[in-house]
């Protein structure tokens, strides 16, 4: 059902901490112009837990305006299942093409609770669902066995695999074949995941470097592995910025330097400063100085 590069886009704010829809439209258009295949809003990178439900729906509508006929997914990452079901219903009402659902980031559910909560959200929204499995960030592992339980419900169509164990991708394919659309969700494991059968990439650094991200995906799809690997090796220091407590600030700073936007974030986050900012700036500037010429694909 879904395949390709789906940016987990950032949420843009004005100086007085309101949603900056004009800047989001500009930035999201860059993703579409580069050939991305969909948009995911209000995820971890999109500061979803810091947004009200009304704001999430407003960001969804902005992305829909830019995406055209490409799918736009809303991330459901509420602490309580009741609230998660509520935003899922609203997303469906507003025409979202699907949901990316995170187990509660506050309460660390056991296996039975995880499956029950994901089912409740899917039933509430009655939309296609991408299961977001990220045991490092959220301390809940949606395991292959749990995926088998969820596979009984046709609304669960995709997996964002972010366990940080590349073996999991093969385990999912061996167990389910093509039952789920398998996306990689870890930027600095993307080449590896695409090599073993992932058909999509929920990407972070794509927001600053959309054309390079799309090039890697398309070259891998065409079997042009060496060309993709050359770009990926250049990209790796940047992709490492996604795997950090400061991923939002890191990537928004990369956006400042690469696409001339701002790095405003919502508190309690604050933009990078001091030595940490200098370090990230150097990584980005060094990469920009030797930015590769992309092949035709």
């Amino acid at each position: 059902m879904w395949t390709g590069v789906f940016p987990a886009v950032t949420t843009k704010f004005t100086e007085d901490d309101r949603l900056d829809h004009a800047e989001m439209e500009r930035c999201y258009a860059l993703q579409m112009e580069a050939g991305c295949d969909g948009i995911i809003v209000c995820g971890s990178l999109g500061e979803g837990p810091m947004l009200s439900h009304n704001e999430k729906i407003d960001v969804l509508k902005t992305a829909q305006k830019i995406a055209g006929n490409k799918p736009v997914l809303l991330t459901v990452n509420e602490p309580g299942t009741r609230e998660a079901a509520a935003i899922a219903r609203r997303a469906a009402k507003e025409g979202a093409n699907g949901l990316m659902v995170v187990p509660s980031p506050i309460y660390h559910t056991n296996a039975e609770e995880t499956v029950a909560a994901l089912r409740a959200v899917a039933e509430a929204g009655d939309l296609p669902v991408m299961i977001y499995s990220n045991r490092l960030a959220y301390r809940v592992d949606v395991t292959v066995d749990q995926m088998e339980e969820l596979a009984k419900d046709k609304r669960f169509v995709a997996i964002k695999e972010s366990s940080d164990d590349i073996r999991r991708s093969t385990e999912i394919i061996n167990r389910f074949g093509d039952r789920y659309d398998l996306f990689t969700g870890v930027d600095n494991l993307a080449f590896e995941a695409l090599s073993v059968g992932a058909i999509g990439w929920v990407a972070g650094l794509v927001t600053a470097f959309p054309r390079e991200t799309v090039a890697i995906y398309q070259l891998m799809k065409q079997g042009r592995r060496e060309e993709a690997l050359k770009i990926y090796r250049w990209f790796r220091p940047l992709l490492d910025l996604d795997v950090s407590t400061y991923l939002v600030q890191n990537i928004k700073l990369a956006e400042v330097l690469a696409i001339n936007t701002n790095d405003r974030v919502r508190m309690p986050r604050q933009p990078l400063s001091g030595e940490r900012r200098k370090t990230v700036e150097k990584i980005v500037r060094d990469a920009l100085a030797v930015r590769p010429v992309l092949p035709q694909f």
Side-chain angles (χ1 to χ4, degrees):
M1 182 174 182
W2 294 321
T3 186
V5 176
F6 281 43
V9 292
T10 57
T11 301
K12 292 300 179 185
F13 301 105
T14 63
E15 291 183 4
D16 60 352
D17 198 37
R18 300 182 184 217
L19 295 178
D20 189 341
H21 291 286
E23 185 61 1
M24 283 188 276
E25 288 183 17
R26 186 185 77 84
C27 293
Y28 298 173
L30 295 176
Q31 305 298 300
M32 296 297 98
E33 291 164 8
C36 292
D37 301 284
I39 296 177
I40 300 177
V41 298
C42 305
S44 304
L45 183 55
E47 298 174 77
M50 311 303 173
L51 304 176
S52 70
H53 281 193
N54 286 342
E55 287 177 319
K56 287 186 175 187
I57 296 301
D58 287 345
V59 174
L60 172 69
K61 290 178 179 178
T62 295
Q64 289 171 324
K65 180 179 178 181
I66 300 303
N69 62 358
K70 294 182 178 180
V72 180
L73 280 60
L74 178 74
T75 307
V76 177
N77 46 17
E78 275 59 31
T81 304
R82 179 183 62 178
E83 292 75 19
I87 190 63
R89 291 188 198 97
R90 289 191 65 181
K93 184 178 179 181
E94 296 297 340
N97 300 105
L99 306 170
M100 183 171 76
V101 183
V102 182
S104 171
I106 300 299
Y107 175 67
H108 306 134
T109 50
N110 64 29
E112 181 180 356
E113 291 168 331
T114 300
V115 169
L118 291 170
R119 281 177 171 159
V121 175
E123 289 169 4
D126 196 26
L127 290 171
V129 171
M130 178 182 290
I131 303 164
Y132 184 9
S133 178
N134 188 335
R135 63 189 180 189
L136 296 184
Y138 300 113
R139 295 172 62 182
V140 173
D141 188 8
V142 184
T143 65
V144 176
D145 286 343
Q146 291 169 42
M147 293 174 194
E148 187 157 8
E149 281 291 306
L150 295 167
K152 299 170 186 175
D153 186 334
K154 64 181 181 181
R155 286 171 289 213
F156 293 101
V157 301
I159 306 290
K160 180 184 176 184
E161 183 2 62
S162 300
S163 71
D164 205 40
D165 182 352
I166 192 61
R167 293 170 294 191
R168 178 69 67 82
S169 295
T170 298
E171 290 165 5
I172 291 169
I173 293 169
N174 283 350
R175 180 79 69 94
F176 303 110
D178 61 359
R179 164 63 184 81
Y180 288 113
D181 297 334
L182 179 61
F183 280 66
T184 178
V186 181
D187 269 1
N188 62 4
L189 277 177
F191 181 88
E192 293 82 352
L194 293 169
S195 296
V196 298
I199 63 170
W201 181 358
V202 178
L205 268 298
V206 67
T207 64
F209 295 92
R211 296 191 182 280
E212 288 83 356
T213 307
V214 170
I216 291 170
Y217 177 82
Q218 289 295 336
L219 291 168
M220 290 295 288
K221 185 178 178 181
Q222 295 172 20
R224 297 161 64 181
R225 180 182 180 280
E226 291 303 318
E227 292 172 273
L229 183 57
K230 184 177 180 181
I231 301 168
Y232 185 69
R233 285 173 173 161
W234 164 83
F235 212 175
R236 250 305 293 276
L238 293 163
L239 297 177
D240 290 346
L241 298 175
D242 180 57
V243 187
S244 167
T245 303
Y246 299 97
L247 81 158
V248 176
Q249 295 97 317
N250 288 346
I251 293 174
K252 281 193 166 181
L253 179 53
E255 288 181 318
V256 168
L257 300 171
I259 63 170
N260 194 32
T261 185
N262 66 76
D263 63 341
R264 289 190 281 268
V265 289
R266 179 158 282 179
M267 291 182 69
R269 286 188 177 92
Q270 295 185 2
L272 297 182
S273 61
E275 289 303 314
R276 183 171 283 116
R277 188 178 186 90
K278 290 179 183 177
T279 297
V280 174
E281 280 190 351
K282 185 177 188 307
I283 291 169
V284 179
R285 292 188 189 280
D286 286 351
L288 286 169
V290 292
R291 198 169 191 172
V293 176
L294 300 178
Q296 296 295 315
F297 51 84

